[in-house]
Amino acid sequence: MKISELILVALTVCFTSACSLYHISSEDTSSAYYPSKTSTAEITYQERLDAPHEVIGYVTVNAERRQKIDEVIEKMKREAAILGGDVITNIQSDATGEWKILPAQEILRNAYVRSNFKATVAVVK
């Protein structure tokens, strides 16, 4: 392998190792039609929603556990805008897949690499 090829491979590894992968999915639970929002600025995040509302779906973001919650919320807002929601609320986090079935959960409980972040999407009435 030439030195230039080795440098190219090393640079490629360096640039791609910092990438974060997200998997975003949503579930529409309402039979009513709500038009999509044009911007995520139209969606708010509220820890607790006391106003009259209708739950229209759920958004799940699968990301690395170390991701900042602000970035995860922004991904959720984008998907909630597609669903036509006004608010995302009730964010819950859970480890995914194979990590849940490994033995010695007491030792590995903080070693989860990926997490599911799930939020409720609602329309305020």
Side-chain angles (χ1 to χ4, degrees):
M1 187 180 263
K2 294 181 185 178
I3 190 86
S4 61
E5 290 175 354
L6 185 61
I7 291 172
L8 181 62
V9 169
L11 287 173
T12 302
V13 168
C14 287
F15 286 122
T16 59
S17 65
C19 295
S20 295
L21 298 175
Y22 291 93
H23 183 281
I24 304 166
S25 60
S26 60
E27 175 186 357
D28 187 0
T29 59
S30 176
S31 60
Y33 171 74
Y34 296 97
S36 297
K37 306 288 193 237
T38 57
S39 168
T40 58
E42 297 178 62
I43 311 296
T44 60
Y45 165 64
Q46 295 181 8
E47 285 186 31
R48 188 172 170 192
L49 185 57
D50 294 328
H53 65 280
E54 177 186 352
V55 174
I56 63 167
Y58 300 94
V59 174
T60 304
V61 175
N62 180 279
E64 296 170 354
R65 189 174 69 107
R66 65 178 178 82
Q67 292 302 314
K68 295 178 182 171
I69 193 66
D70 293 339
E71 293 174 15
V72 172
I73 288 174
E74 194 59 34
K75 304 285 185 201
M76 288 178 167
K77 284 182 176 183
R78 186 176 308 140
E79 194 70 18
I82 293 169
L83 289 175
D86 296 324
V87 177
I88 58 171
T89 188
N90 192 27
I91 295 178
Q92 298 174 352
S93 177
D94 188 13
T96 62
E98 298 297 321
W99 289 104
K100 288 183 175 181
I101 59 174
L102 289 175
Q105 286 297 310
E106 286 299 314
I107 297 169
L108 298 173
R109 70 175 165 245
N110 290 324
Y112 301 133
V113 175
R114 298 196 61 82
S115 258
N116 281 329
F117 298 89
K118 186 173 183 176
T120 303
V121 179
V123 173
V124 178
K125 294 188 175 200

